[in-house]
Amino acid sequence: REDKNTKSRIAITIDPEFIQWIDHKIDEKIFASRSHAIEFAIKRLMEEERQKGSDRRLMREAGYLDEQDNLVK
């Protein structure tokens, strides 16, 4: 497990539309970088999950699980 002050470098595959949106927000000085935008989004999701309850509920709301908690293909 890594120290909380240490950041990890990862690679992701993301829709070009999202990249364009993030880059636009960087140009508007909303985010400092793509990493900043993605970290912000993940932090917001984590906070939302804590407020709403379980990750299963969040996954259902996002359309990844059906009402019986089966993965939606």
Side-chain angles (χ1 to χ4, degrees):
R1 193 169 177 140
E2 295 187 24
D3 180 1
K4 285 188 174 190
N5 296 322
T6 303
K7 295 193 179 206
S8 298
R9 181 176 291 270
I10 64 167
I12 64 170
T13 302
I14 190 169
D15 190 297
E17 178 183 356
F18 299 144
I19 293 295
Q20 290 173 354
W21 184 86
I22 291 170
D23 288 347
H24 180 71
K25 296 301 178 184
I26 292 168
D27 292 342
E28 292 180 332
K29 309 293 186 210
I30 304 296
F31 299 116
S33 65
R34 290 175 173 175
S35 291
H36 179 218
I38 292 167
E39 283 184 349
F40 178 84
I42 293 169
K43 183 177 179 183
R44 290 286 301 267
L45 284 171
M46 289 173 69
E47 290 169 355
E48 187 175 309
E49 181 181 278
R50 274 187 231 115
Q51 290 174 355
K52 287 187 175 184
S54 75
D55 58 340
R56 288 264 181 219
R57 182 173 170 185
L58 185 61
M59 289 178 70
R60 276 194 301 278
E61 290 174 3
Y64 293 111
L65 294 176
D66 64 17
E67 295 300 316
Q68 291 77 38
D69 288 345
N70 297 310
L71 284 173
V72 176
K73 295 181 178 166

